[in-house]
Amino acid sequence: MIIALKDAKKVYSSDVIFENLNMEIKNNEKIGLVGRNGSGKTTIFKILAKIETLDEGQLFIRKDVRVGYLAQIPAFSGTVLQFLQSSFQELHEIKEKMSKLEQQMQDPEKLEKALKQYGELQEQFGMLGGYEMDSKIDRVANGLNIAALLPSSFERLSGGEKTKVGLAKVLLEEPDVLLLDEPTNHLDLQAIEWLESYIKEFQGAVCIISHDRYFLDQVVNKIADLESGELTVYHGNYSSFLKQKEEK
C-alpha cells in the first residue's frame, strides 16, 4: 500500500461530500474511480495530491512516494518544448553544475578536483536517465500527437492543447502514482490507444476518472465506485464492475 485514506470526511459549505470514506492504492494497481458527476471523485484526487485538505480522517502517503496530478494548467512563458523539458528539473540542475565544472577545468589548479566532481555528476546524470531526456519527450509528444506544437508558444495554445501538453508533462515526470482525471478528453483515437499502451506498461500505480467505458475496460483491473458518499471496490474492469454491481 502506498496511499490510503482512512475515515475521510469532506464538507463544502454545509454539504457533506463524503464521510467515513476509506481508500487504498497499492503499487502497480490500475484503478478506475467512478461515480455520478458531483459525487466527489475530483475532490478525492485533490486530497490525494495534497491540493485540498480533509475535514476529518487521515491521509497516509508512503515516504518518498511522488504523486502526479494535472490539477490546473500552470502559467508558463516559453515554448511547449521548454515546458516539457521542465519535467526534468533535477537533471537540468545537474547539467548546469556540469557546465560550471567544464569552465573550472580550464584552470590547471582546479582541474583535478573539478574532474572528479564532474565524473560523479556525469554518473548520476546517466543513472537518472539524462541521456534519454530528448527521446522520452519525442515518445510522449508523438504518442499524444503534440509533436507539431513543440516550437509553439505555450501561452498561445488553446485550452484543449494546454490540457494535452499538461498530460504529457505529468507522464514525463514519471511519478509513483498517476492520478488522471478524464485523460482522454481532447485526444484523438490514435492518442487514446497510445495512452492505453502507456498505462499498461507503466510501472507505478494509476487511478483514473473517466466516462470513457471502453478506455477503462482496456486499462484498469479494479473499480472504486463512489456512491452516496461511500466507496465500494470491485475487482476487474469496467464491464465486470457493471455485471457485479447489477448482481449485488
Side-chain angles (χ1 to χ4, degrees):
M1 186 185 71
I2 49 179
I3 294 184
L5 278 172
K6 186 169 173 58
D7 300 327
K9 182 178 181 179
K10 186 66 183 175
V11 180
Y12 283 133
S13 300
S14 57
D15 294 330
V16 177
I17 307 300
F18 50 76
E19 62 181 329
N20 298 321
L21 184 140
N22 296 293
M23 182 181 185
E24 289 183 355
I25 300 176
K26 295 171 184 171
N27 198 27
N28 296 323
E29 277 192 326
K30 308 291 188 282
I31 304 168
L33 179 57
V34 302
R36 291 177 184 163
N37 288 342
S39 60
K41 302 186 299 293
T42 298
T43 301
I44 288 175
F45 269 19
K46 287 180 177 177
I47 288 166
L48 297 179
K50 294 186 175 179
I51 294 165
E52 291 195 15
T53 56
L54 287 167
D55 292 303
E56 284 179 23
Q58 293 171 293
L59 167 66
F60 300 97
I61 299 181
R62 202 172 71 194
K63 192 182 174 186
D64 299 329
V65 164
R66 294 172 303 124
V67 178
Y69 174 54
L70 178 64
Q72 197 175 353
I73 304 294
F76 183 83
S77 295
T79 65
V80 170
L81 178 60
Q82 288 167 336
F83 179 69
L84 295 182
Q85 285 172 337
S86 69
S87 309
F88 305 98
Q89 193 60 43
E90 189 180 357
L91 287 170
H92 284 298
E93 286 169 9
I94 294 171
K95 212 172 180 180
E96 210 172 290
K97 287 176 186 174
M98 286 167 71
S99 295
K100 287 177 182 174
L101 287 169
E102 282 168 7
Q103 291 172 352
Q104 289 179 29
M105 284 181 208
Q106 307 302 316
D107 184 342
E109 291 180 10
K110 295 178 180 176
L111 178 62
E112 190 177 341
K113 188 181 176 183
L115 203 57
K116 189 188 174 190
Q117 289 177 327
Y118 189 86
E120 289 168 358
L121 285 172
Q122 198 171 33
E123 190 178 344
Q124 192 184 353
F125 186 76
M127 281 174 66
L128 291 171
Y131 299 107
E132 289 94 51
M133 259 195 299
D134 293 340
S135 61
K136 283 178 180 177
I137 289 173
D138 287 344
R139 181 193 169 209
V140 173
N142 287 321
L144 295 176
N145 287 340
I146 57 168
L149 298 175
L150 292 178
S152 307
S153 163
F154 182 82
E155 292 171 306
R156 292 184 182 176
L157 299 182
S158 68
E161 288 170 338
K162 282 182 178 176
T163 301
K164 282 196 285 187
V165 171
L167 173 61
K169 186 176 187 294
V170 171
L171 298 183
L172 286 166
E173 286 167 356
E174 296 181 345
D176 303 293
V177 181
L178 269 174
L179 303 176
L180 302 177
D181 195 342
E182 298 292 352
T184 58
N185 283 4
H186 310 292
L187 298 184
D188 59 26
L189 185 59
Q190 188 182 338
I192 291 170
E193 287 173 352
W194 178 86
L195 185 60
E196 284 172 9
S197 300
Y198 183 94
I199 291 169
K200 286 174 186 174
E201 292 170 17
F202 184 69
Q203 295 301 303
V206 185
C207 193
I208 303 164
I209 297 169
S210 180
H211 286 91
D212 187 335
R213 295 179 176 192
Y214 180 80
F215 179 73
L216 287 177
D217 264 349
Q218 297 302 306
V219 298
V220 305
N221 49 30
K222 194 171 174 181
I223 294 287
D225 180 29
L226 183 60
E227 188 174 19
S228 304
E230 290 186 15
L231 202 64
T232 309
V233 173
Y234 297 83
H235 292 273
N237 63 10
Y238 189 82
S239 294
S240 172
F241 147 71
L242 288 179
K243 191 177 176 185
Q244 290 177 65
K245 190 172 181 180
E246 194 178 331
E247 286 169 356
K248 188 179 173 183

